[in-house]
Amino acid sequence: MANPPISPTERKRILRVIFISLLLDLISFTFILPLFPRLLEFYRNLEAADPSSNSVLRRILFGLNAYKQSFSRPISDRYDIVLLGGALGSLFSFLQAITSPFIGSLSDKHGRRTALLWSMAGNIASVALWVAATDFRTFLASRVVGGLSEGNVQLATAMAADISDEKQRGSTMALVGACFSIAFTFGPALGAALANVETLAANPFATAAGFSLLLILVETLYLYLYLPETRPATRPAKFSNFSVSKAARPAEHPTRTNSYRLLNATHFVFILFFSGMEFSFPFMTYDLFAYTPSQSGKLLGFIGLLASILQGGVTRRLPPLRAVQVGVISCAASFFLLGRLTTEASLWAAASLLAVTTATVVTGLNTLSSFEAAASERGGKLGNHRSWGQVGRALGPLLFCTLYWWAGRDVAYAIGGAGMLGVVALAFGGLKAPQIQPTN
């Protein structure tokens, strides 16, 4: 028999721990995002001093340049670093796709808390390598370790589902989603500011990396001290010392309304097109409006801020399927607008539509996925669901930017919009609203 749900007071306390720890984790994670161009340029210039070397970075850049030269339209050399950053992002997502199901399954077997603390150990090692990264090889190792060990997001999602009944599930997942929006609004700006403080000549980014490491260490200690086990089969008895009716207990084998194949396929296709559009955004704003990195950062900050407001005020009140439907319609509209816009006003309108998408789709899909899993298999199922999204995130930038450079902006975004209409069809014609059991 499944364990009864925890008391409202204890649930609120655990949610606070999940929110604060995930926010620390994501702020630390986003520190590096605006630094990628300068950071990779630093390593490229460092290794250019020795033209006879056959370093890892030199071989990677040779392959990327060969790929770039294959396009029918010339690609400026200013994008070499962007391509390298995209390749590293794809590597990180690919590693996440491999490890997410294993991390989830381990949390089902040994508990969420245990799995999360082991994941944090890997995160600490990853950021510590970044602090010590005076050459590209060490920096690459830090990204590999991080990709293999990062499990905070999926485990936070599983823990949020563990402590929520079916009616609370959507609003709880929106809280997890809000962490993303808040972190992506403030984390990159903080990372960029810290990068201007040089404390180690051999690694000009050691200050940002060191502060990121500090956040991860604080998060790990906070989790160790305050996070209880949430997986029902191993939940401490003190959470269950109150009477609850059988009807109010979560079903061990829930009634399933959506197949995992359909949910995972929807997640994969959505992320495939959406991540490709995300990665192409700096290219498009530069080509059309000569945007500087600072201007692009303001635009992305606007998207994150609006998304966090929507998640706190709108998404948490929407049924999960409706949230997905609203988000994919907004995304399809933004694709077609991005393919035809000629003014900055239209660009900001498209950004507003993307904020709606950011605030709704992944949160809604995670919620729908959590409804289909019994408590004993939730970690593994949500890990698989995340894995398919990470496959899409690994492939999307490469495929979409290839299309962008081969066929041009109009064709690329038109095809992207058509692909998103396919996701709209899945959201309205394939996915179904979960059957929420009434509670007494």
Side-chain angles (χ1 to χ4, degrees):
M1 180 179 294
N3 289 30
I6 64 176
S7 69
T9 301
E10 189 62 30
R11 177 177 180 273
K12 184 180 296 187
R13 187 184 74 81
I14 296 175
L15 273 179
R16 183 170 60 249
V17 174
I18 293 172
F19 181 84
I20 292 174
S21 63
L22 187 58
L23 192 60
L24 288 172
D25 187 79
L26 290 173
I27 289 175
S28 172
F29 176 79
T30 57
F31 268 16
I32 198 172
L33 299 182
L35 308 184
F36 261 124
R38 288 171 55 195
L39 190 149
L40 296 176
E41 188 173 15
F42 165 75
Y43 290 125
R44 183 181 65 176
N45 294 340
L46 184 68
E47 299 196 10
D50 184 9
S52 63
S53 70
N54 188 29
S55 65
V56 173
L57 178 57
R58 192 177 297 277
R59 293 196 296 269
I60 293 174
L61 286 173
F62 179 81
L64 288 176
N65 273 290
Y67 173 71
K68 187 180 71 171
Q69 295 304 320
S70 69
F71 291 104
S72 58
R73 49 186 299 199
I75 302 174
S76 170
D77 288 343
R78 75 181 294 273
Y79 290 134
D80 287 357
I81 294 299
V82 179
L83 285 171
L84 178 58
L88 289 178
S90 292
L91 173 64
F92 186 91
S93 296
F94 177 72
L95 294 172
Q96 282 279 278
I98 294 173
T99 58
S100 289
F102 293 102
I103 292 173
S105 296
L106 286 173
S107 78
D108 286 333
K109 183 177 181 181
H110 300 291
R112 315 280 188 238
R113 184 178 186 274
T114 300
L116 182 54
L117 289 175
W118 277 109
S119 174
M120 292 305 303
N123 289 343
I124 291 171
S126 171
V127 183
L129 283 170
W130 181 26
V131 174
T134 57
D135 56 41
F136 178 76
R137 183 171 56 184
T138 306
F139 176 73
L140 180 62
S142 78
R143 301 303 293 169
V144 170
V145 172
L148 291 172
S149 60
E150 173 63 45
N152 304 56
V153 174
Q154 71 180 78
L155 293 175
T157 303
M159 290 186 294
D162 288 339
I163 62 173
S164 304
D165 62 29
E166 293 177 336
K167 290 187 176 181
Q168 297 167 328
R169 194 75 54 81
S171 61
T172 304
M173 293 298 181
L175 184 68
V176 173
C179 288
F180 273 91
S181 299
I182 295 171
F184 276 81
T185 301
F186 299 105
L190 184 56
L194 289 170
N196 294 322
V197 181
E198 185 173 324
T199 55
L200 184 64
N203 180 3
F205 307 94
T207 303
F211 197 83
S212 179
L213 179 59
L214 176 63
L215 290 180
I216 292 294
L217 289 170
V218 170
E219 179 194 359
T220 303
L221 181 61
Y222 180 63
L223 289 169
Y224 181 79
L225 293 175
Y226 295 107
L227 180 69
E229 179 55 58
T230 65
R231 185 170 67 94
T234 56
R235 188 182 296 156
K238 67 176 183 177
F239 292 162
S240 305
N241 291 337
F242 60 94
S243 177
V244 64
S245 68
K246 182 177 180 181
R249 298 174 183 172
E252 180 63 25
H253 298 287
T255 302
R256 292 180 173 166
T257 53
N258 294 298
S259 74
Y260 262 100
R261 288 184 179 180
L262 178 60
L263 285 166
N264 291 340
T266 304
H267 195 203
F268 167 73
V269 177
F270 168 74
I271 294 294
L272 180 73
F273 287 104
F274 185 73
S275 65
M277 179 275 300
E278 275 186 316
F279 189 69
S280 72
F281 218 64
F283 300 99
M284 187 203 65
T285 56
Y286 176 80
D287 287 340
L288 289 180
F289 307 112
Y291 264 29
T292 64
S294 175
Q295 289 173 303
S296 295
K298 289 179 181 178
L299 185 62
L300 295 175
F302 166 75
I303 293 174
L305 180 60
L306 181 55
S308 63
I309 293 171
L310 291 172
Q311 281 168 324
V314 178
T315 306
R316 60 188 295 269
R317 294 182 172 88
L318 286 176
L321 180 58
R322 183 64 64 202
V324 173
Q325 292 169 340
V326 168
V328 294
I329 289 176
S330 295
C331 192
S334 69
F335 263 103
F336 291 117
L337 182 57
L338 288 169
R340 303 178 65 86
L341 62 84
T342 56
T343 65
E344 288 191 71
S346 298
L347 175 65
W348 285 82
S352 299
L353 291 170
L354 291 175
V356 175
T357 302
T358 302
T360 52
V361 179
V362 173
T363 295
L365 287 173
N366 284 340
T367 306
L368 290 174
S369 183
S370 71
F371 275 108
E372 307 304 324
S376 60
E377 61 180 4
R378 186 173 290 140
K381 292 296 187 183
L382 289 175
N384 283 327
H385 184 70
R386 176 173 170 78
S387 177
W388 280 101
Q390 291 300 309
V391 172
R393 193 168 292 280
L395 296 176
L398 175 65
L399 296 177
F400 193 83
C401 287
T402 298
L403 183 62
Y404 188 101
W405 286 317
W406 269 108
R409 173 175 66 104
D410 297 355
V411 173
Y413 283 107
I415 292 176
M420 198 55 61
L421 287 178
V423 183
V424 171
L426 288 174
F428 281 89
L431 296 177
K432 298 180 177 63
Q435 300 177 21
I436 298 178
Q437 300 294 325
T439 57
N440 296 328

